[in-house]
Amino acid sequence: MSQKFVLGYFDDEETLMHAIEKINATGTKIYEVYSPFPIHGIDDLLGYKRTRLSVAAFIFGCIGFSLALFMQTFMLGLDKWRINIGGKPYLAWPDFVPVTFEGTVLITALGMVFTFMWVNEFFPGAVEKQPHPRVTEDLFVVAIKSEDAEGSDVQSIMSSNGALEVKEEEVLL
Amino acid sequence: MYESPYRRPLITGDDTTYKKISDDIIIPVEAKPTQWWYMGFAISLAFLALYVWAIGYLLWNGVGSWGLNKTVDWGWDITNFVWWVGIGHAGTLISAVLLLFRQKWRTAVNRSAEAMTIFAVVCAGVYPLLHAGRPWVIYWALPLPNTYGNLWANFNSPLLWDVFAISTYLTVSVVFWYVGLLPDLASVRDRAEGMKKKIYGILSFGWNGSAKAWSRFEVISLILAGLATPLVLSVHTIVSMDFATSVIPGWHTTIFPPYFVAGAVFSGFAMVLTLLIVARKAMNLENYITLNHIDVMCKIIMVTGSIVGSAYITEFFIAWYSAVEYERYAFVNRMFGEYWWSYWAMMTCNVITPQLFWSQKLRRNITAVFIISIFVNIGMWFERFVIIVTSLHRDYLPSSWAMYSPTWVEISMYMGSMGLFFTLFFLFAKYVPVIAVAEVKSIMKTSAEKYMKITMEKEKAEESAQHSHESHHA
C-alpha cells in the first residue's frame, strides 16, 4: 500500500547524519533512511535496537549440532544394523567431530540466510520498497510519514541542512 | 572511522565519487562484451567441450581409461581435486577472515575471489565424483535410508567427512557470496531498463538499501564470516586427513592439516593474482584493484609460502628423526627416486619463488607478479602430485612397485576443468559486478586518494594553526 511520505534527498552521508540529528531534536519520528552503503552509527541515531539475528544464529547452531551428532550416534551406535568395524567401539566420539562441526555450520548458515530473507521480506522477485532508484547508487533519502511530519518544520530543517530536495510524495515503502 | 591519511590509498584517481564508482564497476555489466571477452570465452568453451568429451569417454569406458594401476590408485584425479579445493581457499580467506580482521583492501577483491572459490570447488567436486567409478550411485555416500536393513554410511571414514566438508563449503560459500551480491544486483537493476531490469529485479530479491536492511546485512555478513572462517580451515584439514589417517609412509604425518591449509591459501592467492591482474586491465579497474592490493596479496603469498617451505623441511626432519625405515625411504625416494623431477619442480616453485616477494620492487611489478603467481600455481600442483604419486608408487611389497603416467583422458579432463573454471569466470565477469560496489563506496571517504588528500591538508592546517597558537602564547 502506497502512503504519503516526506522525502529528503541528500548526496552525502555526513550531511545526512547531521540533518537526522536536527530532525531528532524536534522529536519527529523518522520512518526509514535509505542509502547506497551501510553508514556507521546510523542505527543509534534512528533508535534501532541491535538485531537479534545473532541469537537466531546461536539457536540454529544448537539445532545443527544436535542433529548432526544424533544422526551419527543413531546410525553407528543405536540402529539395529550398526556396522562392526574390526571389533572397535561403535561410538567412536572423536570421529564424530568433523561431521558434527560441518552440520553445525551448514544448518546455521542456511538458517541465518533464510531468517535474514524472512525478516527483510526478501524473496526472488520481491518488489523493491525504495523511494528512488538512485538510492542504490549515490542518493541518501530520509523518509518521514506525512502524518508524523504534520505540524513540525522538518521540511525546512532538511532543506536548510544540505538536502538537495525535499518533497512530499506517495510511495510504496 | 578514522584512518590515517598517510596510509596507501585503496582507490586511486582524483575524481572519485559514489556515482563514478558505480559507473566504473557496473558499466562492463551493461555494455556489450569486448572482442577479448568473446575470444577468451570461446577458448574456454572449447576446453569445456574437451572436458565433456573426456568425461563422456570415461563414463562409457570406465575408470580403466585412466592411467591408474593397483599400486598407484590415486593419480591426477585426486591431485587435481586437492589442487582445485586449495585454490578455492583464498576466496573465503579474503571474504571471511579479512572481514573479521577489518581489512579494508578486501572490499575490492572479495567478490571475484569468492566467485573463484565457488567455481574452483565445483571443478574439484567433479573429481571424487568420477573417481568413485559409478557417479550415478554417488548418493550411496549420503546417509539415506536404504533397503539393506538401513546399512548406514561409515562416519569413521575421513572420505565421508570430506563429502560433508566439501558440500557444506560449497553451500556456505554460495549463500555468503549471494547475500553479498544483493545490494549490487539491486544497483544493476536500478540502472537498467526493460527485460534486464526485470531479471536483475528477480535476482536482487527486492533489496532497497534501507537502514534496517543494511544493519541486518552487516550482522549477517559478520556471522557468515565467523562461520566461514573455521569452515575453510576445516575443509582442507579434512582433505589432508584423507591422507594423514592412512598408514602410507609420506602421508601418515600429523603436520598435514596446518600444512595443507597454508598450502591452500598459498595457491589460492596465486590464482587470485593470476586472474585479477588480467581482469583489472581488461575491465579498466586499475583504480580499484591497485598496486597496493597486489602488494599485500604478494605479502600473503610470501608468508604462506614460507610456512609451506618450513613444513616441507619439518616433514623431512621428522621422517629421519622417527627412525622408521619406510618413512625415511619414502622421503629419500621423493628427492632422488624416479619422480625426482616433480619433487624439485615443487621445491623450486613453492619454496624459492615466493621468497622473491621480499623485494618491494618485484611486488609492485605486475609482470613479475603474474609470472611468479603462475609458478606458484604450478608448484602447488606438483606438491599434490608428489604427495600422492611418489608415496604410492613404491609400496611395501617391491613386486608391486609401479610407475604411473596419465592417459589422454586424464590430461583432457585437467585441461577441460580449466575450461569449466574459466567459462564460469567469464560469465561471472559479464553478468555480475566483479567488485563489491557498495563495500567500495563505504571505504571511499577514508581510503580514496582524493579524500585522503583532503584529510591530510585539513590535518596539516590544524597542526600549523596549533603551532602558531602555541608560539603566540610563548
Side-chain angles (χ1 to χ4, degrees), chain B residues 400-464:
Chain B
S400 312
W401 287 4
M403 290 297 284
Y404 159 78
S405 52
T407 62
W408 70 267
V409 182
E410 280 150 302
I411 299 170
S412 311
M413 273 186 62
Y414 179 52
M415 296 196 312
S417 67
M418 298 269 191
L420 173 63
F421 179 78
F422 282 104
T423 304
L424 292 170
F425 200 81
F426 272 110
L427 288 174
F428 157 73
K430 173 64 196 82
Y431 291 107
V432 177
V434 291
I435 293 178
V437 185
E439 291 194 40
V440 171
K441 282 177 190 163
S442 72
I443 64 159
M444 184 183 88
K445 284 281 173 71
T446 53
S447 306
E449 202 177 1
K450 178 181 152 192
Y451 289 93
M452 290 172 85
K453 270 183 196 157
I454 298 173
T455 319
M456 199 184 302
E457 272 157 27
K458 224 193 265 170
E459 278 183 18
K460 273 184 187 154
E462 269 168 28
E463 212 169 287
S464 61

XYZ file of all heavy atoms in Angstrom, chain B residues 400-464:
526
model
N 55.240 -55.190 -6.170
C 54.108 -54.371 -6.612
C 54.531 -52.985 -7.060
O 53.683 -52.186 -7.436
C 53.088 -54.206 -5.480
O 52.799 -55.410 -4.892
N 55.803 -52.682 -6.972
C 56.230 -51.336 -7.340
C 55.843 -51.040 -8.779
O 55.953 -51.903 -9.649
C 57.749 -51.195 -7.169
C 58.145 -51.130 -5.727
C 57.329 -51.256 -4.654
C 59.466 -50.939 -5.214
N 58.038 -51.144 -3.488
C 59.368 -50.946 -3.801
C 60.722 -50.761 -5.773
C 60.466 -50.790 -2.971
C 61.818 -50.590 -4.953
C 61.697 -50.605 -3.555
N 55.396 -49.813 -8.995
C 54.905 -49.488 -10.338
C 55.169 -48.028 -10.640
O 55.521 -47.245 -9.764
C 53.413 -49.779 -10.432
N 54.986 -47.688 -11.900
C 55.066 -46.286 -12.304
C 53.682 -45.871 -12.777
O 52.845 -46.712 -13.121
C 56.082 -46.113 -13.444
C 57.521 -46.302 -13.017
S 58.066 -45.089 -11.808
C 58.297 -43.647 -12.850
N 53.498 -44.561 -12.801
C 52.191 -44.071 -13.223
C 52.378 -42.917 -14.180
O 53.211 -42.037 -13.939
C 51.400 -43.602 -12.005
C 50.271 -42.643 -12.322
C 49.066 -43.120 -12.836
C 50.417 -41.278 -12.133
C 48.048 -42.236 -13.142
C 49.398 -40.399 -12.427
C 48.215 -40.885 -12.930
O 47.206 -40.021 -13.229
N 51.641 -42.943 -15.284
C 51.574 -41.724 -16.096
C 50.142 -41.572 -16.611
O 49.460 -42.573 -16.850
C 52.579 -41.767 -17.243
O 52.416 -42.956 -17.960
N 49.700 -40.347 -16.735
C 48.304 -40.122 -17.105
C 48.051 -40.473 -18.566
O 48.952 -40.402 -19.400
C 48.131 -38.628 -16.888
C 49.493 -38.064 -17.055
C 50.432 -39.085 -16.546
N 46.815 -40.867 -18.860
C 46.412 -41.073 -20.251
C 45.841 -39.770 -20.790
O 45.682 -38.800 -20.050
C 45.334 -42.162 -20.356
O 44.183 -41.701 -19.628
C 45.825 -43.477 -19.786
N 45.483 -39.756 -22.049
C 44.911 -38.539 -22.635
C 43.607 -38.159 -21.928
O 43.242 -36.984 -21.876
C 44.698 -38.698 -24.145
C 43.594 -39.665 -24.509
C 43.724 -40.984 -24.779
C 42.192 -39.365 -24.627
N 42.501 -41.549 -25.047
C 41.548 -40.558 -24.962
C 41.429 -38.207 -24.478
C 40.170 -40.647 -25.153
C 40.052 -38.297 -24.666
C 39.433 -39.500 -25.001
N 42.914 -39.157 -21.359
C 41.639 -38.845 -20.696
C 41.892 -37.962 -19.477
O 41.220 -36.943 -19.266
C 40.909 -40.140 -20.272
C 39.574 -39.811 -19.644
C 40.723 -41.053 -21.464
N 42.907 -38.322 -18.688
C 43.203 -37.509 -17.502
C 43.692 -36.115 -17.887
O 43.305 -35.122 -17.278
C 44.285 -38.210 -16.659
C 43.713 -39.319 -15.803
C 44.720 -40.405 -15.567
O 45.209 -40.980 -16.552
O 45.037 -40.668 -14.397
N 44.558 -36.088 -18.913
C 45.095 -34.785 -19.331
C 43.966 -33.908 -19.859
O 43.854 -32.727 -19.497
C 46.202 -34.977 -20.387
C 47.350 -35.788 -19.772
C 46.713 -33.648 -20.903
C 48.391 -36.244 -20.768
N 43.090 -34.499 -20.666
C 41.973 -33.710 -21.213
C 41.044 -33.249 -20.098
O 40.509 -32.139 -20.137
C 41.154 -34.530 -22.197
O 41.980 -35.148 -23.116
N 40.844 -34.133 -19.114
C 39.951 -33.725 -18.020
C 40.541 -32.567 -17.233
O 39.819 -31.685 -16.778
C 39.700 -34.903 -17.080
C 38.538 -35.752 -17.531
S 38.187 -37.012 -16.323
C 37.759 -36.029 -14.904
N 41.878 -32.576 -17.082
C 42.501 -31.484 -16.339
C 42.403 -30.179 -17.118
O 41.944 -29.154 -16.594
C 43.969 -31.815 -16.039
C 44.677 -30.723 -15.288
C 44.123 -30.204 -14.125
C 45.873 -30.200 -15.733
C 44.748 -29.195 -13.432
C 46.509 -29.186 -15.051
C 45.943 -28.686 -13.905
O 46.563 -27.681 -13.222
N 42.768 -30.237 -18.389
C 42.663 -29.020 -19.202
C 41.206 -28.598 -19.308
O 40.870 -27.419 -19.297
C 43.267 -29.263 -20.577
C 44.754 -29.561 -20.485
S 45.653 -29.418 -22.033
C 44.668 -30.315 -23.170
N 40.342 -29.601 -19.412
C 38.916 -29.316 -19.512
C 38.364 -28.662 -18.255
O 37.497 -27.791 -18.328
N 38.883 -29.073 -17.081
C 38.361 -28.452 -15.856
C 38.751 -26.974 -15.811
O 38.015 -26.145 -15.272
C 38.833 -29.200 -14.609
O 40.221 -29.074 -14.434
N 39.903 -26.648 -16.417
C 40.256 -25.228 -16.565
C 39.212 -24.540 -17.436
O 38.833 -23.393 -17.194
C 41.613 -25.090 -17.268
C 42.729 -25.693 -16.509
S 43.441 -24.446 -15.465
C 44.892 -25.296 -14.963
N 38.787 -25.254 -18.495
C 37.761 -24.716 -19.384
C 36.490 -24.410 -18.616
O 35.895 -23.338 -18.761
N 36.078 -25.354 -17.754
C 34.877 -25.137 -16.944
C 35.062 -23.921 -16.042
O 34.205 -23.038 -15.963
C 34.602 -26.388 -16.096
C 33.477 -26.287 -15.070
C 32.141 -26.054 -15.759
C 33.403 -27.536 -14.214
N 36.219 -23.878 -15.389
C 36.506 -22.786 -14.458
C 36.463 -21.435 -15.178
O 35.791 -20.498 -14.740
C 37.893 -23.017 -13.842
C 38.335 -21.964 -12.874
C 37.833 -21.946 -11.589
C 39.248 -20.991 -13.249
C 38.244 -20.987 -10.679
C 39.665 -20.028 -12.359
C 39.155 -20.026 -11.071
N 37.143 -21.346 -16.313
C 37.204 -20.051 -16.990
C 35.887 -19.692 -17.662
O 35.528 -18.521 -17.736
C 38.378 -20.006 -17.969
C 39.683 -19.779 -17.273
C 40.580 -20.808 -17.072
C 39.995 -18.532 -16.762
C 41.772 -20.607 -16.395
C 41.181 -18.305 -16.082
C 42.070 -19.353 -15.899
N 35.131 -20.692 -18.136
C 33.808 -20.395 -18.681
C 32.949 -19.733 -17.609
O 32.332 -18.689 -17.839
C 33.117 -21.693 -19.151
O 33.962 -22.331 -20.089
C 31.778 -21.397 -19.793
N 32.955 -20.337 -16.411
C 32.169 -19.762 -15.317
C 32.679 -18.371 -14.964
O 31.903 -17.452 -14.711
C 32.227 -20.687 -14.091
C 31.515 -22.025 -14.252
C 31.831 -22.949 -13.093
C 30.013 -21.805 -14.342
N 33.998 -18.208 -14.974
C 34.552 -16.913 -14.584
C 34.219 -15.829 -15.617
O 33.908 -14.697 -15.262
C 36.067 -17.010 -14.365
C 36.588 -15.881 -13.529
C 36.480 -15.919 -12.157
C 37.137 -14.752 -14.119
C 36.936 -14.864 -11.371
C 37.590 -13.695 -13.348
C 37.489 -13.753 -11.965
N 34.255 -16.194 -16.889
C 33.897 -15.221 -17.926
C 32.427 -14.807 -17.800
O 32.089 -13.637 -17.947
C 34.160 -15.795 -19.321
C 35.566 -15.552 -19.800
C 36.473 -16.589 -19.913
C 35.973 -14.277 -20.147
C 37.772 -16.356 -20.345
C 37.271 -14.032 -20.591
C 38.176 -15.080 -20.685
N 31.558 -15.789 -17.523
C 30.140 -15.455 -17.354
C 29.960 -14.535 -16.152
O 29.211 -13.554 -16.203
C 29.318 -16.732 -17.166
C 29.167 -17.586 -18.424
C 28.457 -18.890 -18.091
C 28.390 -16.830 -19.491
N 30.671 -14.864 -15.077
C 30.606 -14.031 -13.875
C 31.037 -12.595 -14.192
O 30.366 -11.634 -13.825
C 31.516 -14.652 -12.801
C 31.981 -13.701 -11.743
C 31.105 -13.244 -10.775
C 33.300 -13.276 -11.713
C 31.537 -12.370 -9.797
C 33.736 -12.400 -10.740
C 32.846 -11.946 -9.784
N 32.159 -12.456 -14.920
C 32.678 -11.116 -15.205
C 31.730 -10.332 -16.096
O 31.725 -9.107 -16.081
C 34.051 -11.231 -15.864
N 30.912 -11.041 -16.860
C 30.000 -10.336 -17.758
C 28.700 -9.945 -17.065
O 28.161 -8.886 -17.336
C 29.713 -11.224 -18.977
C 28.646 -10.700 -19.924
C 29.088 -9.389 -20.579
C 27.932 -8.647 -21.224
N 27.147 -7.856 -20.281
N 28.182 -10.804 -16.202
C 26.820 -10.593 -15.719
C 26.713 -10.087 -14.287
O 25.618 -9.771 -13.824
C 26.014 -11.887 -15.869
C 25.760 -12.198 -17.321
C 26.422 -13.213 -17.979
C 24.871 -11.410 -18.056
C 26.214 -13.467 -19.318
C 24.651 -11.651 -19.394
C 25.329 -12.683 -20.025
O 25.114 -12.901 -21.348
N 27.823 -10.014 -13.581
C 27.779 -9.609 -12.176
C 28.871 -8.554 -11.971
O 29.941 -8.684 -12.544
C 28.048 -10.842 -11.273
C 28.081 -10.435 -9.830
C 27.006 -11.908 -11.493
N 28.601 -7.517 -11.163
C 29.685 -6.565 -10.858
C 30.841 -7.303 -10.181
O 30.630 -7.935 -9.147
C 29.035 -5.566 -9.903
C 27.568 -5.719 -10.106
C 27.328 -7.127 -10.524
N 32.035 -7.226 -10.762
C 33.139 -8.043 -10.244
C 33.733 -7.490 -8.963
O 34.544 -8.144 -8.329
C 34.280 -8.226 -11.272
C 33.831 -9.082 -12.418
C 34.787 -6.888 -11.750
N 33.360 -6.257 -8.592
C 33.832 -5.688 -7.337
C 32.590 -5.335 -6.523
O 31.584 -4.910 -7.078
C 34.698 -4.434 -7.602
C 35.989 -4.841 -8.303
C 35.001 -3.684 -6.314
C 36.886 -3.682 -8.654
N 32.673 -5.518 -5.211
C 31.526 -5.211 -4.361
C 31.349 -3.689 -4.304
O 32.034 -3.010 -3.541
C 31.733 -5.791 -2.973
N 30.440 -3.176 -5.146
C 30.290 -1.728 -5.313
C 29.988 -1.041 -3.984
O 30.644 -0.064 -3.609
C 29.159 -1.430 -6.327
C 29.087 0.056 -6.596
C 29.369 -2.199 -7.614
N 28.992 -1.571 -3.262
C 28.570 -0.919 -2.021
C 29.713 -0.898 -1.006
O 29.907 0.088 -0.299
C 27.363 -1.640 -1.437
N 30.485 -1.989 -0.957
C 31.564 -2.034 0.031
C 32.673 -1.054 -0.313
O 33.268 -0.438 0.573
C 32.124 -3.449 0.129
C 31.129 -4.406 0.751
C 31.782 -5.705 1.155
O 32.904 -5.663 1.671
O 31.173 -6.762 0.932
N 32.962 -0.909 -1.610
C 33.987 0.052 -2.006
C 33.523 1.466 -1.659
O 34.291 2.290 -1.185
C 34.313 -0.093 -3.503
C 35.208 1.045 -3.960
C 35.008 -1.413 -3.774
N 32.226 1.735 -1.869
C 31.711 3.058 -1.515
C 31.890 3.331 -0.032
O 32.167 4.455 0.380
C 30.232 3.154 -1.877
C 29.996 3.379 -3.352
C 28.516 3.397 -3.643
C 28.265 3.372 -5.133
N 26.880 2.998 -5.435
N 31.698 2.280 0.779
C 31.762 2.511 2.223
C 33.179 2.843 2.694
O 33.353 3.345 3.789
C 31.197 1.314 2.983
O 32.082 0.232 2.897
N 34.205 2.562 1.882
C 35.556 2.937 2.308
C 36.066 4.165 1.556
O 37.199 4.592 1.748
C 36.576 1.789 2.147
C 36.744 1.414 0.673
C 36.194 0.585 2.969
C 38.048 0.682 0.399
N 35.198 4.758 0.709
C 35.671 5.857 -0.143
C 36.203 7.029 0.670
O 37.292 7.529 0.415
C 34.556 6.324 -1.069
C 35.006 7.399 -2.048
S 33.674 8.008 -3.087
C 33.028 9.312 -2.054
N 35.442 7.442 1.674
C 35.821 8.639 2.435
C 37.142 8.456 3.168
O 37.876 9.397 3.373
C 34.713 8.994 3.433
C 33.507 9.636 2.785
C 33.746 11.097 2.482
C 32.625 11.729 1.673
N 31.388 11.922 2.429
N 37.429 7.207 3.586
C 38.660 7.010 4.354
C 39.833 6.575 3.490
O 40.976 6.829 3.849
C 38.467 5.940 5.455
O 37.939 4.766 4.833
C 37.543 6.412 6.535
N 39.570 5.905 2.372
C 40.687 5.267 1.677
C 40.859 5.652 0.218
O 41.704 5.085 -0.456
C 40.553 3.751 1.774
O 40.417 3.369 3.110
N 40.058 6.594 -0.279
C 40.271 7.023 -1.663
C 41.317 8.130 -1.679
O 41.336 8.987 -0.799
C 38.971 7.508 -2.285
N 42.164 8.083 -2.692
C 43.257 9.044 -2.816
C 42.752 10.483 -2.649
O 43.301 11.272 -1.881
C 43.898 8.868 -4.189
C 45.295 9.388 -4.279
C 45.901 9.110 -5.655
O 45.207 8.533 -6.522
O 47.060 9.484 -5.836
N 41.647 10.781 -3.363
C 41.118 12.145 -3.366
C 40.776 12.608 -1.956
O 41.172 13.694 -1.529
C 39.866 12.152 -4.247
C 39.153 13.462 -4.341
C 37.917 13.306 -5.221
C 36.833 14.285 -4.849
N 35.564 13.944 -5.509
N 40.055 11.772 -1.211
C 39.614 12.175 0.126
C 40.737 12.131 1.142
O 40.745 12.887 2.105
C 38.429 11.308 0.565
C 37.200 11.645 -0.215
C 36.868 10.943 -1.365
C 36.396 12.718 0.159
C 35.758 11.283 -2.113
C 35.279 13.071 -0.577
C 34.967 12.344 -1.716
O 33.877 12.693 -2.450
N 41.706 11.232 0.907
C 42.838 11.187 1.835
C 43.652 12.475 1.736
O 44.160 12.975 2.735
C 43.705 9.964 1.539
C 42.996 8.667 1.909
S 43.887 7.221 1.371
C 45.010 6.994 2.732
N 43.750 12.997 0.522
C 44.452 14.268 0.346
C 43.757 15.378 1.135
O 44.403 16.181 1.812
C 44.496 14.639 -1.137
C 45.716 14.084 -1.846
C 45.732 14.545 -3.299
C 46.679 13.709 -4.113
N 46.326 13.742 -5.543
N 42.419 15.402 1.022
C 41.663 16.437 1.740
C 41.911 16.329 3.240
O 42.207 17.298 3.916
C 40.156 16.307 1.418
C 39.926 16.521 -0.083
C 39.330 17.277 2.252
C 38.520 16.247 -0.533
N 41.804 15.073 3.753
C 42.021 14.874 5.195
C 43.416 15.315 5.590
O 43.612 15.954 6.631
C 41.868 13.379 5.556
O 40.774 12.845 4.840
C 41.674 13.190 7.035
N 44.398 14.991 4.739
C 45.777 15.323 5.075
C 45.961 16.833 5.155
O 46.568 17.339 6.093
C 46.712 14.730 4.025
C 48.137 14.623 4.528
S 49.293 14.034 3.304
C 48.666 12.470 2.797
N 45.383 17.544 4.176
C 45.512 19.007 4.192
C 44.843 19.596 5.429
O 45.377 20.486 6.080
C 44.891 19.603 2.919
C 45.904 19.674 1.784
C 45.251 19.706 0.422
O 44.088 20.172 0.323
O 45.890 19.242 -0.536
N 43.672 19.033 5.746
C 42.952 19.515 6.922
C 43.802 19.328 8.176
O 43.937 20.220 9.001
C 41.644 18.716 7.056
C 40.442 19.612 7.389
C 39.255 18.791 7.821
C 38.294 18.474 6.700
N 37.273 17.483 7.075
N 44.402 18.145 8.296
C 45.223 17.856 9.480
C 46.422 18.790 9.556
O 46.779 19.267 10.624
C 45.688 16.402 9.459
C 44.622 15.469 9.982
C 45.076 14.031 10.037
O 46.293 13.774 9.997
O 44.198 13.160 10.120
N 47.018 19.014 8.379
C 48.188 19.897 8.355
C 47.796 21.310 8.781
O 48.495 21.954 9.561
C 48.806 19.905 6.954
C 49.808 18.787 6.779
C 50.482 18.863 5.431
C 51.360 17.650 5.204
N 51.531 17.375 3.775
N 46.672 21.766 8.261
C 46.200 23.107 8.593
C 45.951 23.218 10.091
O 46.372 24.172 10.756
C 44.923 23.417 7.819
N 45.308 22.186 10.649
C 45.021 22.192 12.088
C 46.317 22.238 12.894
O 46.446 22.976 13.859
C 44.249 20.922 12.466
C 42.747 21.103 12.385
C 42.026 19.777 12.467
O 42.553 18.832 13.091
O 40.922 19.684 11.885
N 47.284 21.440 12.423
C 48.546 21.350 13.123
C 49.251 22.711 13.125
O 49.748 23.158 14.164
C 49.427 20.311 12.442
C 50.342 19.567 13.378
C 50.961 18.394 12.647
O 50.242 17.396 12.398
O 52.133 18.512 12.291
N 49.310 23.346 11.955
C 50.032 24.618 11.879
C 49.287 25.694 12.679
O 49.912 26.544 13.314
C 50.229 25.046 10.428
O 48.986 25.229 9.812
